Amino acid sequence: MHKISVSDVRVLPGDAGFLMDDGKTSILYDCGFAFTGEKLAQNVKNLLGNRNLDFIFLTHSHYDHALGSVYVKEIFPEAKVVAGSYAAGIFKKDSAKKVMRDLDQKFAAKNGVKNYRDLIDNLCVDVEVLDGDKIQCGEMTFTVVELPGHTKCSVGFYLEENELLLGTETLGVYTGTEKIIPSYLVGFDLTMKSFEKRKN
């Protein structure tokens, strides 16, 4: 079993981003918005110091989970962005980037941010994965688990030796209390199948 530290690097409520580190290999689990991307990247830099970020795991293609990856890659160009093949295909579409840009700008405005660097066109995936694929992260081996329901492109990452599943919103959203809020957008049946898969 690996001893892993987990640090919250989110910038504001609604953002996404946790840094996992076993002392040798570091993984950023989701990356938040574009308008918080530079600050989130700096949060990661502050924690890692002179060390490199090794991997960025993206659970799905929504703007509040993926867009910050571009800003993180600017500081850590050697970090490998890992995402499901379905999500990678979405990121290649100009129409999808247009929707993500619009949503990001609207949420930025709600948070009092009017101007920020737009790097969204640089959004990309370095390692496309499918259900069952293995990702070697230093001494840690993660298995990709497709978990559609929140989106069709939702994936989790399972570290068997630690019995640790880096899930996605298909499995629910923790509210900070004892409640987990269901978050299925593309299908209840898909979500229930993902729950069944998670049991195995």
Side-chain angles (χ1 to χ4, degrees), residues 23-200:
K24 297 178 181 177
T25 305
S26 57
I27 302 164
L28 181 58
Y29 168 53
D30 278 337
C31 290
F33 304 102
F35 76 93
T36 60
E38 288 185 347
K39 175 61 175 163
L40 186 142
Q42 191 57 54
N43 289 347
V44 173
K45 179 67 175 170
N46 291 344
L47 287 168
L48 291 178
N50 293 326
R51 291 176 55 208
N52 283 325
L53 176 66
D54 298 297
F55 294 91
I56 299 168
F57 285 179
L58 299 181
T59 60
H60 61 292
S61 62
H62 281 173
Y63 76 106
D64 55 331
H65 290 257
L67 292 185
S69 63
V70 182
Y71 302 83
V72 175
K73 283 276 282 187
E74 196 173 46
I75 292 180
F76 299 102
E78 295 180 7
K80 299 293 184 191
V81 177
V82 181
S85 183
Y86 197 126
I90 292 170
F91 295 155
K92 293 172 184 173
K93 297 179 180 178
D94 290 337
S95 58
K97 289 178 183 175
K98 182 179 184 299
V99 170
M100 287 189 269
R101 177 178 285 112
D102 182 58
L103 291 170
D104 195 80
Q105 289 173 350
K106 286 177 179 174
F107 197 71
K110 283 186 180 180
N111 284 275
V113 178
K114 295 182 180 177
N115 296 307
Y116 58 97
R117 290 190 309 137
D118 183 345
L119 303 179
I120 294 171
D121 286 335
N122 297 332
L123 184 64
C124 68
V125 173
D126 299 307
V127 181
E128 296 184 23
V129 292
L130 297 169
D131 193 53
D133 284 353
K134 305 286 185 184
I135 309 160
Q136 194 65 42
C137 302
E139 297 176 357
M140 298 177 285
T141 304
F142 288 86
T143 302
V144 176
V145 184
E146 291 181 354
L147 297 168
H150 179 63
T151 63
K152 291 180 181 178
C153 64
S154 293
V155 297
F157 303 90
Y158 183 58
L159 182 60
E160 184 174 4
E161 63 184 292
N162 285 54
E163 296 183 343
L164 172 65
L165 174 63
L166 303 178
T168 183
E169 288 177 312
T170 295
L171 303 178
V173 177
Y174 179 60
T175 65
T177 64
E178 293 182 359
K179 294 182 180 177
I180 307 274
I181 303 296
S183 187
Y184 51 89
L185 300 178
V186 296
F188 178 77
D189 289 340
L190 281 174
T191 299
M192 295 311 296
K193 286 177 183 176
S194 291
F195 270 104
E196 287 302 314
K197 179 187 285 189
R198 187 204 58 82
K199 289 180 184 178
N200 303 327

